[in-house]
Amino acid sequence: MPRRLLRIPTAVAGSLALTAATLTGTAGAATDTRAGTTVAATSPSHLSGTLADGATWIADVPADWNGTLLLFSHGYGPAVAQDAPSDEARTALLSEGYAVAGSSFDPQGSWWALNSAERDQFATLDAFGRTVGRPSRTLSVGLSMGGLVNAQIARDGAGRVDGALGLCSLVAGGVDLDDYQYDAEYTIASLLMPGQDVRLTGFADAADAAATAQRLTDAVIAAQATPQGRARIALAAAYLNQSDWAPDQNPPAPGDPEGQEAQQFAWLSQGVLGFIENGRWSIEQSAGGNTSWNAGLDYAALLRDSEHAGQVRALYRKAGLDLRADLATLTRGAHLHADPGARRRLEASSTAGQSLAVPLLNLHTIADQLVPVQQEAAFAERVRAAGDDRLLRQAYVARQGHCAFTTAEIVAGVRAIDRRVTTGRWGDVAEPAVLQSSALSLNLGGAAFVRYRPGRLVVGRHSSLIGS
């Protein structure tokens, strides 16, 4: 069973010039008494502009701007400028006195926009400074894929940003993401679609990726009808690091493998595979080829890394299936090689390192179907290895769904990282009870912060180019 809640680069900044901008409202000067510096004070204003690579940026500034800018990095999707996680969050943050800004990332590239995202965010910061005034403080905020951009900014942004807040962040990076997702796809194709030719990499276009997603989803739905199929779905879900707490459900009881699998199936049958395959196509566009490999991978050893291994074994026993035989089949058929150049390019663009230059607070829902909460464990381990764990805190929300935060939880997170920067110490600002109290005081949708420790992320690769 998963470990449940214990209680229910700077050098490129400025290289892109502002080529067009609009500003509504008038500006004057005011003093930010907290920072003791001069910042621009404006009537409520909306700004927009275009960067040299064609990326657009937007910003909103409240009339009573407190001098702090929130630099927002958006998630995976179309290259459209966003400056907040949601309209509701924007309204709440502006009412708190924060200005918000963010870019589209390069619209000429893939939706997996990691090749341009960090530089476009730094260029947006420069454009904001020229148009409105230099903030007294800048906090980076990122959501989902933008949470990976945010972690890169927290690594590279010394002197540009003062702190960072990650929301449902893809902090394990694109390389790990592609690898463990491939293991799940490969398991479904090998064990639920034997003898069929299923394209899992090298998609020609989005329609090609969608066709594979539909075939995999159909196979999962058909397999759910038998105990043998359910056992194999659970095996694929274990490799995917798939949550076993689905929407509109209570968490399955400890020691209930059937309940766990039923909720994993709910996720898999309701669009997760479509999102995964579209993402793989976008990543391959960005990297210039296939970045995944499994040649020589031991799938029995991989299962032993999973917190769901006991669930899988129990379901195989109940189904009368030979787990060792299925694992041997997977290991024997593991022949995929990555394009070495593509993998190196993805490593360069889509990992966070990970050292930290500024304090970073990550918030994550504990049942995230797209960016598993176990990514936080992998990230924390890398930050510790870099010797920067003093700069990292992670907090968790007991809720199902990717980025399923209330506005209150988001604002509480911003308040917490702001306080950390103001005081120079964490103190108790990232403690669940403190975050919960802060969020509930806002009356903006409730909160569910809990004390939680994520399990290990199942990836199984330790050297980037082994098997390539």
Side-chain angles (χ1 to χ4, degrees):
M1 283 290 294
R3 279 174 261 194
R4 298 235 170 255
L5 43 157
L6 304 184
R7 292 201 301 265
I8 266 279
T10 303
V12 301
S15 63
L16 302 179
L18 174 67
T19 59
T22 62
L23 172 62
T24 303
T26 58
T31 299
D32 173 15
T33 56
R34 178 186 57 193
T37 57
T38 300
V39 299
T42 70
S43 59
S45 304
H46 178 76
L47 304 86
S48 64
T50 303
L51 303 173
D53 67 353
T56 56
W57 66 274
I58 61 173
D60 288 282
V61 185
D64 55 348
W65 182 30
N66 63 17
T68 295
L69 174 66
L70 304 180
L71 182 66
F72 178 70
S73 299
H74 69 74
Y76 176 77
V80 176
Q82 300 174 44
D83 61 8
S86 67
D87 291 343
E88 294 80 6
R90 180 188 302 105
T91 297
L93 292 167
L94 291 172
S95 71
E96 294 265 312
Y98 296 105
V100 293
S103 71
S104 63
F105 314 147
D106 183 0
Q108 305 305 314
S110 159
W111 284 8
W112 186 262
L114 271 294
N115 289 321
S116 68
E118 185 180 17
R119 75 164 186 254
D120 287 336
Q121 290 297 87
F122 282 135
T124 295
L125 181 58
D126 291 339
F128 182 93
R130 289 192 296 270
T131 308
V132 179
R134 182 173 180 176
S136 59
R137 175 177 299 163
T138 299
L139 303 175
S140 177
V141 181
L143 178 140
S144 192
M145 182 192 77
L148 174 56
V149 179
N150 183 63
Q152 293 174 328
I153 291 172
R155 176 192 66 196
D156 302 330
R160 307 300 306 277
V161 302
D162 301 284
L165 172 69
L167 304 169
C168 52
S169 300
L170 206 160
V171 283
V175 175
D176 282 357
L177 177 76
D178 251 10
D179 280 343
Y180 70 68
Q181 288 182 342
Y182 179 82
D183 291 330
E185 300 157 19
Y186 168 68
T187 299
I188 293 169
S190 298
L191 300 182
L192 301 183
M193 309 167 70
Q196 299 184 40
D197 183 13
V198 185
R199 180 184 294 277
L200 298 178
T201 66
F203 299 124
D205 50 32
D208 196 17
T212 286
Q214 190 60 59
R215 292 182 67 191
L216 294 173
T217 302
D218 290 346
V220 167
I221 291 171
Q224 185 67 12
T226 69
Q228 294 79 15
R230 293 192 290 273
R232 286 167 169 156
I233 290 169
L235 178 60
Y239 293 143
L240 189 57
N241 300 279
Q242 183 64 63
S243 166
D244 62 4
W245 185 16
D248 304 317
Q249 303 289 328
N250 292 320
D256 179 12
E258 290 87 356
Q260 289 178 267
E261 188 279 335
Q263 297 201 40
Q264 290 169 329
F265 167 75
W267 286 123
L268 290 169
S269 64
Q270 295 173 19
V272 166
L273 292 167
F275 193 91
I276 287 172
E277 300 309 326
N278 186 269
R280 178 172 294 280
W281 172 65
S282 293
I283 289 173
E284 289 183 353
Q285 279 186 303
S286 178
N290 169 47
T291 67
S292 296
W293 64 268
N294 73 343
L297 194 64
D298 182 344
Y299 277 86
L302 195 63
L303 179 61
R304 287 194 291 272
D305 280 347
S306 174
E307 60 189 33
H308 295 298
Q311 170 206 356
V312 172
R313 295 187 188 104
L315 290 174
Y316 265 78
R317 285 194 300 270
K318 185 169 183 178
L321 274 180
D322 187 340
L323 177 57
R324 289 184 181 180
D326 272 2
L327 294 173
T329 295
L330 294 173
T331 299
R332 189 166 53 248
H335 301 306
L336 181 70
H337 292 266
D339 175 327
R343 189 159 177 111
R344 277 192 289 266
R345 285 188 287 274
L346 189 65
E347 285 187 316
S349 73
S350 304
T351 59
Q354 183 69 52
S355 58
L356 293 174
V358 299
L360 169 62
L361 171 62
N362 276 345
L363 308 184
H364 219 116
T365 54
I366 68 172
D368 188 329
Q369 80 278 25
L370 298 181
V371 179
V373 69
Q374 294 94 332
Q375 287 212 12
E376 296 289 349
F379 181 71
E381 183 178 343
R382 293 167 190 172
V383 172
R384 281 194 298 272
D388 290 330
D389 49 309
R390 71 193 184 284
L391 292 173
L392 176 66
R393 292 295 184 272
Q394 294 159 303
Y396 301 97
V397 170
R399 191 173 297 114
Q400 313 100 304
H402 180 52
C403 303
F405 299 108
T406 65
T407 298
E409 289 160 351
I410 293 170
V411 175
V414 170
R415 285 179 167 182
I417 191 62
D418 198 352
R419 182 178 164 196
R420 164 61 180 84
V421 172
T422 298
T423 64
R425 57 189 295 271
W426 286 107
D428 62 0
V429 299
E431 288 296 312
V434 175
L435 289 165
Q436 183 75 358
S437 177
S438 176
L440 291 178
S441 72
L442 294 164
N443 295 315
L444 291 173
F449 287 102
V450 293
R451 192 169 299 281
Y452 181 80
R453 183 164 63 96
R456 183 176 182 178
L457 186 71
V458 179
V459 179
R461 282 81 162 169
H462 303 292
S463 176
S464 62
L465 296 178
I466 291 176
S468 65

